[in-house]
Coordinates of all heavy atoms in Angstrom, one line a residue:
M9 N 0.8 -1.2 0.0 CA 0.0 0.0 0.0 C 0.9 1.2 0.0 O 1.9 1.3 0.7 CB -0.9 0.0 1.2 CG -1.9 1.1 1.3 SD -3.0 0.9 2.6 CE -4.3 1.8 2.1
R10 N 0.5 2.2 -0.7 CA 1.3 3.4 -0.9 C 1.0 4.4 0.3 O -0.1 4.6 0.7 CB 0.9 4.1 -2.2 CG 1.9 5.1 -2.7 CD 1.5 5.6 -4.0 NE 0.9 6.9 -3.8 CZ 0.3 7.6 -4.7 NH1 0.1 7.1 -5.9 NH2 -0.2 8.8 -4.4
E11 N 2.1 5.0 0.7 CA 2.0 6.0 1.8 C 1.4 7.3 1.2 O 1.7 7.7 0.1 CB 3.4 6.3 2.4 CG 4.0 5.2 3.2 CD 3.2 5.0 4.5 OE1 2.9 6.0 5.1 OE2 3.0 3.9 4.9
P12 N 0.6 8.0 2.0 CA 0.0 9.2 1.6 C 1.1 10.3 1.4 O 2.0 10.3 2.2 CB -1.0 9.7 2.7 CG -1.1 8.5 3.5 CD 0.0 7.6 3.3
S13 N 0.9 11.1 0.4 CA 1.9 12.2 0.2 C 1.6 13.3 1.2 O 0.5 13.5 1.7 CB 1.7 12.7 -1.3 OG 2.5 13.9 -1.5
T14 N 2.6 14.1 1.4 CA 2.5 15.3 2.3 C 2.5 16.6 1.5 O 2.5 17.7 2.1 CB 3.6 15.3 3.3 OG1 4.9 15.4 2.6 CG2 3.6 14.1 4.2
D15 N 2.3 16.5 0.2 CA 2.3 17.7 -0.7 C 1.2 18.6 -0.4 O 1.3 19.8 -0.5 CB 2.3 17.3 -2.2 CG 3.6 16.6 -2.6 OD1 4.6 16.8 -1.9 OD2 3.5 15.9 -3.6
G16 N 0.0 18.1 0.0 CA -1.2 18.9 0.3 C -1.3 19.4 1.7 O -2.4 19.9 2.1
N17 N -0.3 19.2 2.5 CA -0.4 19.5 3.9 C -0.5 21.0 4.2 O -0.9 21.5 5.2 CB 0.7 19.0 4.8 CG 0.5 17.5 5.1 OD1 -0.5 16.9 4.9 ND2 1.6 16.9 5.6
R18 N -0.1 21.8 3.2 CA -0.1 23.3 3.4 C -1.5 23.8 3.6 O -1.7 24.7 4.5 CB 0.5 24.0 2.2 CG 2.0 23.8 2.0 CD 2.4 24.4 0.8 NE 1.6 23.8 -0.3 CZ 1.9 23.9 -1.6 NH1 2.9 24.6 -2.0 NH2 1.1 23.3 -2.5
H19 N -2.5 23.3 2.9 CA -3.9 23.7 3.1 C -4.4 23.6 4.5 O -4.9 24.5 5.1 CB -4.8 23.0 2.1 CG -4.5 23.3 0.7 ND1 -4.8 24.5 0.1 CD2 -4.0 22.6 -0.3 CE1 -4.5 24.5 -1.1 NE2 -4.0 23.3 -1.4
G20 N -4.2 22.4 5.1 CA -4.6 22.1 6.4 C -3.9 23.0 7.5 O -4.5 23.5 8.4
S21 N -2.6 23.1 7.3 CA -1.8 23.9 8.2 C -2.2 25.4 8.1 O -2.3 26.1 9.2 CB -0.3 23.8 7.9 OG 0.1 22.4 8.0
W22 N -2.3 25.9 6.9 CA -2.7 27.3 6.8 C -4.1 27.5 7.3 O -4.4 28.6 7.9 CB -2.7 27.8 5.3 CG -1.3 28.3 5.0 CD1 -0.3 27.6 4.3 CD2 -0.7 29.5 5.3 NE1 0.8 28.4 4.2 CE2 0.6 29.6 4.8 CE3 -1.2 30.6 6.1 CZ2 1.4 30.7 5.0 CZ3 -0.4 31.7 6.2 CH2 0.9 31.8 5.7
S23 N -5.0 26.6 7.1 CA -6.4 26.7 7.6 C -6.4 26.8 9.1 O -7.1 27.7 9.7 CB -7.2 25.5 7.2 OG -8.5 25.5 7.8
L24 N -5.6 26.0 9.8 CA -5.5 26.0 11.3 C -5.0 27.3 11.7 O -5.5 28.0 12.6 CB -4.7 24.8 11.8 CG -4.6 24.8 13.3 CD1 -5.9 24.6 14.0 CD2 -3.6 23.6 13.7
A25 N -3.9 27.8 11.1 CA -3.3 29.0 11.5 C -4.2 30.2 11.3 O -4.3 31.1 12.2 CB -2.0 29.2 10.7
L26 N -4.9 30.3 10.2 CA -5.8 31.4 9.9 C -7.0 31.3 10.8 O -7.6 32.4 11.2 CB -6.2 31.4 8.4 CG -5.1 31.8 7.5 CD1 -5.6 31.6 6.0 CD2 -4.6 33.1 7.7
G27 N -7.5 30.1 11.1 CA -8.6 30.0 12.0 C -8.3 30.5 13.4 O -9.1 31.3 14.0
V28 N -7.1 30.2 13.9 CA -6.6 30.8 15.2 C -6.5 32.3 15.1 O -6.9 33.1 16.0 CB -5.3 30.1 15.6 CG1 -4.7 30.9 16.8 CG2 -5.5 28.7 15.9
L29 N -5.9 32.8 14.0 CA -5.7 34.2 13.8 C -7.0 35.0 13.8 O -7.2 36.1 14.3 CB -4.9 34.5 12.5 CG -4.6 36.0 12.2 CD1 -3.7 36.6 13.3 CD2 -4.0 36.1 10.8
G30 N -8.0 34.4 13.1 CA -9.4 35.0 13.1 C -10.0 35.2 14.4 O -10.6 36.2 14.8
L31 N -9.8 34.1 15.3 CA -10.3 34.2 16.7 C -9.5 35.2 17.5 O -10.1 35.9 18.3 CB -10.3 32.8 17.3 CG -11.4 31.9 16.7 CD1 -11.2 30.5 17.4 CD2 -12.8 32.4 16.9
V32 N -8.2 35.2 17.3 CA -7.4 36.2 18.1 C -7.7 37.6 17.7 O -7.7 38.5 18.5 CB -5.9 35.9 17.8 CG1 -5.0 37.0 18.4 CG2 -5.5 34.6 18.5
A33 N -8.1 37.8 16.4 CA -8.4 39.2 16.0 C -9.7 39.7 16.7 O -9.9 40.9 16.8 CB -8.6 39.2 14.5
L34 N -10.5 38.7 17.2 CA -11.7 39.2 18.0 C -11.3 39.9 19.3 O -12.0 40.7 19.8 CB -12.5 37.9 18.5 CG -13.4 37.3 17.4 CD1 -13.9 36.0 17.9 CD2 -14.5 38.3 17.1
L35 N -10.1 39.7 19.8 CA -9.6 40.4 21.0 C -9.1 41.8 20.7 O -8.8 42.5 21.6 CB -8.5 39.5 21.6 CG -8.9 38.1 22.0 CD1 -7.7 37.3 22.5 CD2 -10.0 38.1 23.0
A36 N -8.9 42.1 19.4 CA -8.3 43.4 19.1 C -9.4 44.5 19.3 O -10.6 44.2 19.2 CB -7.9 43.4 17.6
P37 N -9.0 45.7 19.5 CA -10.0 46.8 19.6 C -10.8 46.8 18.3 O -10.3 46.6 17.2 CB -9.2 48.0 19.7 CG -7.8 47.6 20.2 CD -7.7 46.2 19.7
A38 N -12.1 47.1 18.5 CA -13.0 47.1 17.3 C -12.7 48.3 16.4 O -13.0 49.4 16.7 CB -14.5 47.2 17.8
A39 N -12.2 48.0 15.3 CA -11.9 48.9 14.2 C -12.4 48.3 12.9 O -12.4 47.1 12.8 CB -10.4 49.3 14.1
T40 N -12.8 49.1 12.0 CA -13.4 48.6 10.7 C -12.4 47.7 10.0 O -12.8 46.6 9.5 CB -13.8 49.7 9.8 OG1 -14.7 50.6 10.5 CG2 -14.5 49.2 8.6
A41 N -11.1 48.1 9.9 CA -10.2 47.3 9.2 C -10.0 45.9 9.9 O -9.8 44.9 9.2 CB -8.8 48.0 9.2
V42 N -10.0 45.9 11.2 CA -9.8 44.6 11.9 C -11.0 43.7 11.7 O -10.9 42.5 11.5 CB -9.6 44.9 13.5 CG1 -9.6 43.6 14.2 CG2 -8.3 45.7 13.7
V43 N -12.2 44.3 11.7 CA -13.4 43.5 11.5 C -13.4 42.9 10.1 O -13.6 41.7 9.9 CB -14.7 44.4 11.7 CG1 -15.9 43.6 11.2 CG2 -14.8 44.8 13.1
L44 N -13.1 43.7 9.1 CA -13.0 43.2 7.7 C -11.9 42.1 7.6 O -12.1 41.1 7.0 CB -12.8 44.3 6.7 CG -13.9 45.3 6.6 CD1 -13.5 46.4 5.7 CD2 -15.2 44.6 6.1
L45 N -10.7 42.4 8.2 CA -9.6 41.4 8.1 C -10.0 40.1 8.8 O -9.7 39.0 8.3 CB -8.4 42.0 8.7 CG -7.1 41.1 8.7 CD1 -6.7 40.9 7.3 CD2 -6.0 41.8 9.5
G46 N -10.6 40.2 10.0 CA -11.0 39.0 10.7 C -12.0 38.2 10.0 O -11.9 37.0 10.0
T47 N -12.9 38.8 9.3 CA -13.9 38.1 8.5 C -13.3 37.4 7.3 O -13.5 36.2 7.1 CB -15.0 39.1 8.0 OG1 -15.5 39.8 9.1 CG2 -16.1 38.4 7.2
V48 N -12.4 38.1 6.6 CA -11.8 37.5 5.4 C -10.9 36.3 5.9 O -10.8 35.3 5.2 CB -10.9 38.6 4.7 CG1 -10.1 37.9 3.6 CG2 -11.9 39.6 4.1
V49 N -10.1 36.5 7.0 CA -9.2 35.5 7.5 C -10.0 34.2 7.9 O -9.7 33.1 7.6 CB -8.4 36.0 8.6 CG1 -7.7 34.9 9.4 CG2 -7.4 37.0 8.1
S50 N -11.2 34.4 8.6 CA -12.0 33.3 9.0 C -12.6 32.5 7.8 O -12.6 31.3 7.8 CB -13.1 33.8 9.9 OG -12.5 34.3 11.1
I51 N -13.1 33.3 6.8 CA -13.7 32.6 5.7 C -12.6 31.9 4.9 O -12.8 30.8 4.4 CB -14.4 33.7 4.8 CG1 -15.6 34.2 5.5 CG2 -14.7 33.1 3.4 CD1 -16.3 35.3 4.9
T52 N -11.4 32.5 4.8 CA -10.3 31.8 4.1 C -9.9 30.5 4.8 O -9.5 29.5 4.2 CB -9.1 32.8 4.0 OG1 -9.5 34.0 3.3 CG2 -7.9 32.2 3.2
A53 N -9.9 30.6 6.2 CA -9.6 29.3 6.9 C -10.6 28.2 6.6 O -10.2 27.1 6.4 CB -9.7 29.7 8.4
V54 N -11.8 28.5 6.4 CA -12.8 27.5 6.1 C -12.5 27.0 4.7 O -12.5 25.7 4.5 CB -14.3 28.1 6.1 CG1 -15.3 27.1 5.6 CG2 -14.6 28.4 7.6
V55 N -12.3 27.8 3.7 CA -12.0 27.4 2.3 C -10.8 26.5 2.3 O -10.8 25.4 1.7 CB -11.9 28.6 1.4 CG1 -11.4 28.2 0.0 CG2 -13.2 29.3 1.3
L56 N -9.7 27.0 2.9 CA -8.5 26.2 2.9 C -8.6 24.9 3.7 O -8.1 23.8 3.3 CB -7.3 27.0 3.5 CG -6.8 28.1 2.7 CD1 -5.7 28.9 3.4 CD2 -6.2 27.6 1.4
G57 N -9.4 24.9 4.7 CA -9.7 23.6 5.5 C -10.4 22.6 4.6 O -10.1 21.4 4.6
V58 N -11.4 23.1 3.9 CA -12.1 22.2 3.0 C -11.2 21.6 1.9 O -11.2 20.4 1.6 CB -13.3 22.9 2.3 CG1 -13.9 22.1 1.2 CG2 -14.4 23.2 3.3
N59 N -10.3 22.4 1.4 CA -9.3 22.0 0.4 C -8.4 21.0 1.1 O -8.0 20.0 0.4 CB -8.5 23.1 -0.2 CG -9.3 23.9 -1.2 OD1 -10.3 23.5 -1.7 ND2 -8.9 25.2 -1.4
G60 N -8.0 21.2 2.3 CA -7.2 20.3 3.0 C -7.8 18.9 3.3 O -7.2 17.9 3.2
V61 N -9.1 18.9 3.6 CA -9.8 17.7 3.8 C -9.9 16.9 2.5 O -9.7 15.7 2.5 CB -11.2 17.9 4.4 CG1 -12.1 16.7 4.4 CG2 -11.1 18.4 5.9
L62 N -10.2 17.6 1.4 CA -10.3 17.0 0.1 C -8.9 16.4 -0.3 O -8.9 15.3 -0.8 CB -10.8 18.0 -0.9 CG -12.2 18.4 -0.8 CD1 -12.6 19.5 -1.8 CD2 -13.2 17.2 -0.9
A63 N -7.8 17.1 0.0 CA -6.5 16.6 -0.3 C -6.2 15.4 0.5 O -5.6 14.4 0.0 CB -5.5 17.7 0.0
A64 N -6.6 15.4 1.8 CA -6.4 14.2 2.7 C -7.2 13.0 2.2 O -6.7 11.9 2.2 CB -6.7 14.5 4.1
S65 N -8.4 13.2 1.7 CA -9.2 12.2 1.2 C -8.7 11.6 -0.1 O -8.8 10.4 -0.4 CB -10.7 12.7 0.9 OG -11.3 13.1 2.1
A66 N -8.0 12.4 -0.9 CA -7.4 11.9 -2.1 C -6.0 11.4 -1.9 O -5.4 10.9 -2.9 CB -7.3 13.1 -3.1
G67 N -5.5 11.4 -0.7 CA -4.2 10.8 -0.4 C -3.0 11.8 -0.7 O -1.9 11.4 -0.7
R68 N -3.3 13.1 -0.9 CA -2.3 14.1 -1.1 C -1.9 14.8 0.1 O -1.0 15.7 0.1 CB -2.8 15.1 -2.2 CG -3.1 14.5 -3.5 CD -3.4 15.6 -4.6 NE -4.2 16.6 -4.1 CZ -5.6 16.7 -4.2 NH1 -6.2 15.7 -4.7 NH2 -6.3 17.7 -3.8
A69 N -2.5 14.5 1.3 CA -2.1 15.1 2.5 C -2.3 14.1 3.7 O -3.1 13.2 3.6 CB -3.0 16.4 2.7
T70 N -1.7 14.4 4.8 CA -1.8 13.5 6.0 C -2.3 14.3 7.2 O -2.4 13.7 8.3 CB -0.4 12.9 6.3 OG1 0.5 14.0 6.5 CG2 0.1 12.1 5.2
N71 N -2.7 15.5 7.0 CA -3.0 16.3 8.2 C -4.5 16.6 8.2 O -4.9 17.8 8.5 CB -2.2 17.5 8.4 CG -2.3 18.5 7.2 OD1 -2.9 18.1 6.1 ND2 -1.9 19.7 7.4
R72 N -5.4 15.7 8.0 CA -6.8 15.9 8.0 C -7.3 16.5 9.3 O -8.1 17.4 9.3 CB -7.5 14.6 7.7 CG -9.0 14.7 7.7 CD -9.7 13.3 7.5 NE -11.1 13.5 7.2 CZ -11.6 13.3 6.0 NH1 -10.8 13.0 5.0 NH2 -12.9 13.5 5.8
P73 N -6.8 16.1 10.5 CA -7.3 16.7 11.7 C -7.0 18.2 11.8 O -7.8 19.0 12.3 CB -6.6 16.0 12.8 CG -6.3 14.6 12.3 CD -6.0 14.9 10.8
Q74 N -5.9 18.7 11.3 CA -5.6 20.1 11.3 C -6.5 20.8 10.4 O -7.0 21.9 10.7 CB -4.2 20.3 10.7 CG -3.1 20.1 11.8 CD -1.7 20.5 11.2 OE1 -1.5 20.4 10.0 NE2 -0.8 20.9 12.1
A75 N -6.9 20.2 9.2 CA -7.8 20.9 8.3 C -9.2 21.0 8.9 O -9.8 22.0 8.8 CB -7.8 20.1 7.0
V76 N -9.6 19.9 9.6 CA -10.9 20.0 10.2 C -11.0 21.0 11.3 O -11.9 21.8 11.5 CB -11.3 18.6 10.8 CG1 -12.6 18.6 11.6 CG2 -11.5 17.6 9.6
A77 N -9.9 21.1 12.1 CA -9.8 22.1 13.2 C -9.8 23.5 12.6 O -10.5 24.4 13.1 CB -8.5 21.9 14.0
G78 N -9.2 23.7 11.4 CA -9.2 25.0 10.8 C -10.6 25.3 10.3 O -11.0 26.5 10.4
I79 N -11.3 24.3 9.8 CA -12.7 24.6 9.4 C -13.6 25.0 10.6 O -14.3 26.0 10.5 CB -13.3 23.3 8.7 CG1 -12.6 23.0 7.4 CG2 -14.8 23.5 8.5 CD1 -13.0 21.7 6.8
L80 N -13.4 24.3 11.7 CA -14.2 24.6 12.8 C -13.9 26.0 13.4 O -14.8 26.8 13.7 CB -14.0 23.5 13.9 CG -14.6 22.2 13.6 CD1 -14.2 21.1 14.7 CD2 -16.1 22.2 13.4
L81 N -12.6 26.3 13.5 CA -12.2 27.6 14.0 C -12.6 28.7 13.1 O -13.1 29.8 13.5 CB -10.7 27.6 14.3 CG -10.1 26.8 15.4 CD1 -8.6 26.8 15.4 CD2 -10.7 27.3 16.7
G82 N -12.5 28.5 11.8 CA -12.9 29.5 10.8 C -14.4 29.7 10.9 O -14.9 30.9 10.8
A83 N -15.2 28.6 11.0 CA -16.6 28.8 11.1 C -17.0 29.5 12.4 O -17.9 30.4 12.3 CB -17.3 27.4 11.0
V84 N -16.4 29.2 13.5 CA -16.7 29.9 14.7 C -16.3 31.3 14.6 O -17.1 32.2 15.0 CB -16.0 29.2 15.9 CG1 -16.1 30.1 17.2 CG2 -16.6 27.8 16.2
G85 N -15.2 31.6 14.1 CA -14.7 33.0 13.9 C -15.6 33.8 13.0 O -16.0 34.9 13.3
S86 N -16.1 33.1 11.9 CA -17.0 33.8 11.0 C -18.3 34.1 11.7 O -18.9 35.2 11.5 CB -17.3 32.9 9.7 OG -16.1 32.7 9.0
L87 N -18.8 33.2 12.4 CA -20.1 33.4 13.1 C -19.9 34.5 14.2 O -20.8 35.4 14.3 CB -20.5 32.1 13.8 CG -21.8 32.2 14.6 CD1 -23.0 32.5 13.7 CD2 -22.1 30.9 15.4
L88 N -18.9 34.5 14.9 CA -18.6 35.5 15.9 C -18.5 36.9 15.3 O -19.0 37.9 15.8 CB -17.5 35.2 16.8 CG -17.7 34.0 17.7 CD1 -16.4 33.7 18.5 CD2 -18.8 34.3 18.7
W89 N -17.8 37.0 14.1 CA -17.6 38.2 13.4 C -19.0 38.7 12.9 O -19.3 39.9 13.0 CB -16.6 38.1 12.3 CG -15.2 38.1 12.7 CD1 -14.3 37.1 12.7 CD2 -14.5 39.2 13.3 NE1 -13.1 37.5 13.3 CE2 -13.2 38.8 13.6 CE3 -14.9 40.6 13.6 CZ2 -12.3 39.7 14.2 CZ3 -13.9 41.4 14.2 CH2 -12.7 40.9 14.4
L90 N -19.8 37.8 12.4 CA -21.1 38.2 11.9 C -21.9 38.7 13.1 O -22.6 39.8 12.9 CB -21.8 37.0 11.3 CG -23.2 37.2 10.8 CD1 -23.2 38.2 9.6 CD2 -23.9 35.9 10.4
L91 N -21.9 38.1 14.2 CA -22.6 38.6 15.4 C -22.1 40.0 15.8 O -22.9 40.8 16.2 CB -22.6 37.6 16.5 CG -23.3 36.3 16.3 CD1 -23.0 35.3 17.5 CD2 -24.8 36.5 16.2
A92 N -20.8 40.1 15.8 CA -20.2 41.4 16.2 C -20.7 42.5 15.2 O -21.1 43.6 15.7 CB -18.7 41.3 16.2
V93 N -20.7 42.3 13.9 CA -21.1 43.3 12.9 C -22.6 43.6 13.1 O -23.0 44.7 13.1 CB -20.8 42.8 11.5 CG1 -21.5 43.7 10.5 CG2 -19.3 42.7 11.3
V94 N -23.4 42.5 13.3 CA -24.8 42.8 13.5 C -25.1 43.6 14.8 O -25.9 44.5 14.8 CB -25.6 41.4 13.6 CG1 -27.0 41.6 14.1 CG2 -25.6 40.8 12.2
G95 N -24.3 43.3 15.8 CA -24.4 44.0 17.1 C -24.1 45.5 16.9 O -24.7 46.4 17.5
V96 N -23.0 45.8 16.1 CA -22.7 47.2 15.9 C -23.7 47.9 15.0 O -24.1 49.0 15.3 CB -21.3 47.2 15.1 CG1 -21.0 48.6 14.6 CG2 -20.2 46.8 16.1
V97 N -24.3 47.2 14.1 CA -25.3 47.8 13.2 C -26.6 48.1 13.9 O -27.1 49.2 13.8 CB -25.6 46.9 12.0 CG1 -26.8 47.3 11.2 CG2 -24.4 46.8 11.1
I98 N -27.0 47.2 14.8 CA -28.2 47.5 15.6 C -28.0 48.2 16.8 O -28.9 48.6 17.5 CB -29.1 46.2 15.8 CG1 -28.3 45.2 16.7 CG2 -29.5 45.5 14.5 CD1 -29.2 44.0 17.1
G99 N -26.7 48.5 17.2 CA -26.4 49.3 18.3 C -26.4 48.7 19.6 O -26.7 49.3 20.6
L100 N -25.9 47.4 19.7 CA -25.8 46.7 21.0 C -24.6 47.1 21.7 O -23.5 47.1 21.6 CB -25.9 45.2 20.8 CG -27.2 44.7 20.4 CD1 -27.2 43.2 20.3 CD2 -28.3 45.0 21.5

């Protein structure tokens, strides 16, 4: 049986790193640039995580757990950013 390649591990690793960065950005003072950056970073974490899971399923990566964690962190970050923006808009 052939060993899985590690060529696709970048997607899962970047997904995890960006997912964490998106959540850390929640701790920053509320500024428009930070909100936009946090949203983009969290969404990018989800997209890269999905690519990482697909790469792991195809045997091109070995870090499926990292990709899944990146998806979860990115999704939580996106949801929290959405709630923060809605809260600002309605004046909470």
Side-chain angles (χ1 to χ4, degrees):
M9 183 174 205
R10 198 174 101 188
E11 288 291 319
S13 172
T14 59
D15 294 340
N17 280 351
R18 291 177 302 195
H19 294 289
S21 299
W22 273 104
S23 173
L24 180 60
L26 292 175
V28 169
L29 181 64
L31 290 177
V32 168
L34 281 170
L35 302 174
T40 305
V42 174
V43 170
L44 293 176
L45 180 66
T47 304
V48 170
V49 166
S50 294
I51 292 170
T52 304
V54 172
V55 171
L56 287 175
V58 169
N59 287 339
V61 168
L62 292 174
S65 296
R68 295 187 319 268
T70 58
N71 63 344
R72 183 184 189 105
Q74 281 184 331
V76 170
I79 291 170
L80 294 174
L81 290 172
V84 168
S86 296
L87 178 65
L88 291 175
W89 281 110
L90 178 66
L91 292 173
V93 169
V94 169
V96 168
V97 169
I98 64 173
L100 289 180

